[in-house]
Amino acid sequence: MNDQVKKTVGERSKKVVLRLEKIDRIFNQGPDQLEILKSVDLEIHQGEIVALVGPSGAGKSTLLQIAGLLEKPDRGLVSIGGKRSTDLSDLARTEMRRKHIGFVYQYHHLLPEFSAIENVVIPQMINGLKRSEATERGLELLRCLGLENRSEHRPARLSGGEQQRVAIARALANVPDVLFADEPTGNLDPHTAATVFGMLMTLVRETGLASLIATHNPELARQMDRVVTLRDGHLVELDPDSLS
Ligand SMILES: Nc1ncnc2c1ncn2[C@@H]1O[C@H](COP(=O)(O)OP(=O)(O)OP(=O)(O)O)[C@@H](O)[C@H]1O
């Protein structure tokens, strides 16, 4: 990986990148009020990869959406890189998402009419990078993900694992400070999931990103630095060895 893409752990001091303070989220479901997140606190430092596990409906996606500034909590504070999201205008929140946050979803959400490399280049150009630089960085990322021979293919001509690897390249192309991933390999068969997840972990470790990754897979969770879960809306730290 070249220097342009790489931000080594050493270059970054181990400061807190993501801080959640007393996050509450309540949904109205008919006459019922569902308290999905209750006073959730979480800190993630540079270079730290945190697994978010828990049963379906526990609130993992809700937490990721709030931490990734895609949704607002009912109460509480999200800070990224020391900037409090509540102090930001809607425009500044969008800017923060574009420049400092990478997101990988369970489904790739690639633009179907564009090639793999174009899918990685376009977000960088939106952020002001020249096409030549964006292409150089994009091709380097695709190479790191074993897709050097697939860069001109449109998503429909890629396998599920390849599509997801392009989505990972796209999420990392803007050199974010924090990466959120919601079941990034959940749609893949176990073998492909292990390969793609291994590549994601390598890239995240090399770039020293702070990451919060939701997964149902205990084997994948154990490869991360810390494991947290949501129990009745509360965030609880787990011993990775206790996962089965
Ligand atoms: N906009 C909404 N309005 C009402 N209820 C919602 C809304 N979004 C989520 N919920 C409810 O909140 C709960 C948590 O949902 P969430 O998607 O965060 O869970 P999850 O842990 O990510 O589940 P999964 O592992 O199945 O993806 C669910 O019961 C869901 O139905």
Side-chain angles (χ1 to χ4, degrees):
M1 173 179 286
N2 67 20
D3 291 344
Q4 210 177 11
V5 176
K6 195 171 182 176
K7 280 185 187 171
T8 62
V9 180
E11 282 164 19
R12 300 167 175 221
S13 58
K14 296 267 182 175
K15 62 180 185 201
V16 174
V17 176
L18 173 73
R19 177 174 286 129
L20 306 181
E21 289 173 73
K22 305 216 172 320
I23 300 290
D24 289 343
R25 185 72 176 111
I26 300 154
F27 291 124
N28 292 315
Q29 285 198 347
D32 300 324
Q33 286 217 320
L34 226 59
E35 288 185 74
I36 293 300
L37 302 176
K38 296 179 190 164
S39 200
V40 166
D41 289 329
L42 178 66
E43 280 188 355
I44 304 186
H45 292 77
Q46 280 179 347
E48 196 172 33
I49 307 175
V50 178
L52 176 58
V53 301
S56 188
K60 302 181 297 299
S61 298
T62 304
L63 183 61
L64 287 169
Q65 300 272 317
I66 289 172
L69 308 186
L70 289 162
E71 275 186 32
K72 291 182 180 174
D74 292 296
R75 276 182 294 274
L77 203 64
V78 180
S79 308
I80 292 179
K83 283 214 175 90
R84 293 152 62 114
S85 65
T86 36
D87 297 341
L88 302 175
S89 64
D90 283 350
L91 194 67
R93 278 171 70 90
T94 305
E95 184 105 331
M96 170 79 98
R97 268 204 311 273
R98 271 204 344 242
K99 295 194 169 158
H100 299 284
I101 296 174
F103 232 113
V104 182
Y105 301 91
Q106 186 167 358
Y107 179 70
H108 58 77
H109 295 296
L110 297 173
L111 301 170
E113 66 275 30
F114 291 97
S115 67
I117 184 64
E118 286 168 335
N119 265 282
V120 182
V121 163
I122 289 166
Q124 299 180 72
M125 290 180 67
I126 291 171
N127 269 357
L129 220 65
K130 278 196 257 165
R131 179 182 287 275
S132 56
E133 288 171 61
T135 304
E136 192 186 331
R137 187 185 286 180
L139 288 173
E140 170 70 3
L141 277 164
L142 291 180
R143 191 189 62 72
C144 290
L145 289 154
L147 292 173
E148 55 272 47
N149 299 324
R150 295 285 183 277
S151 61
E152 298 303 330
H153 290 209
R154 289 188 184 184
R157 292 186 54 218
L158 298 171
S159 71
E162 289 168 344
Q163 290 166 344
Q164 206 53 353
R165 281 186 272 160
V166 178
I168 291 169
R170 179 187 53 188
L172 299 181
N174 282 328
V175 200
D177 296 313
V178 57
L179 177 78
F180 298 104
D182 196 352
E183 293 276 349
T185 58
N187 265 339
L188 306 176
D189 67 75
H191 177 72
T192 311
T195 309
V196 172
F197 187 77
M199 288 177 166
L200 174 64
M201 289 295 279
T202 302
L203 268 176
V204 168
R205 293 240 182 256
E206 278 186 0
T207 50
L209 272 173
S211 313
L212 182 60
I213 301 177
T215 180
H216 282 287
N217 186 326
E219 247 173 68
L220 302 186
R222 273 195 294 269
Q223 294 173 42
M224 303 190 219
D225 300 321
R226 278 163 56 202
V227 181
V228 297
T229 191
L230 287 162
R231 276 203 197 125
D232 191 26
H234 297 285
L235 191 102
V236 179
E237 201 93 20
L238 290 181
D239 173 1
D241 295 331
S242 71
L243 297 173
S244 56

